Amino acid sequence: MEYIYDLHVHSKECSGCACTGARDMVRAYIDQGIYTGIVFTNHFGAPPVGKSWEDHVTHYWNNYLEAKEEGEKADFQVFFGFELG
């Protein structure tokens, strides 16, 4: 059996370089039919002005959970990671 993972995936909710939301990103990988899973590695840095660290981390974590939930619907693996900076 072959296992193919993308180890560096971003979503627009957390990474300014992305143009696709977490759930749609997972669906796009599932729809390709060749991937076993992905690692969500959104950019992580200091919180935006006016946002607490707790809120910032919660937002980041919840975005991953959305992706993971979408993957679970199709037995598709979504792992947590982060990119500093």
Side-chain angles (χ1 to χ4, degrees):
M1 177 176 250
E2 188 170 85
Y3 299 94
I4 300 175
Y5 294 87
D6 188 333
L7 302 179
H8 193 95
V9 177
H10 299 304
S11 67
K12 70 179 181 178
E13 294 91 351
C14 293
S15 294
C17 63
C19 60
T20 305
R23 291 182 186 276
D24 289 338
M25 184 64 76
V26 171
R27 290 295 335 153
Y29 277 89
I30 291 169
D31 290 348
Q32 288 183 50
I34 63 170
Y35 288 92
T36 306
I38 59 176
V39 180
F40 249 67
T41 55
N42 282 315
H43 294 278
F44 189 80
V49 175
K51 193 171 189 180
S52 71
W53 272 102
E54 183 177 354
D55 289 344
H56 186 49
V57 170
T58 298
H59 173 73
Y60 191 90
W61 180 249
N62 286 341
N63 187 245
Y64 157 71
L65 292 178
E66 286 180 30
K68 185 176 184 317
E69 181 181 271
E70 191 65 30
E72 287 173 347
K73 294 176 184 176
D75 196 29
F76 183 81
Q77 298 174 336
V78 178
F79 296 99
F80 178 78
F82 62 92
E83 180 177 344
L84 291 177

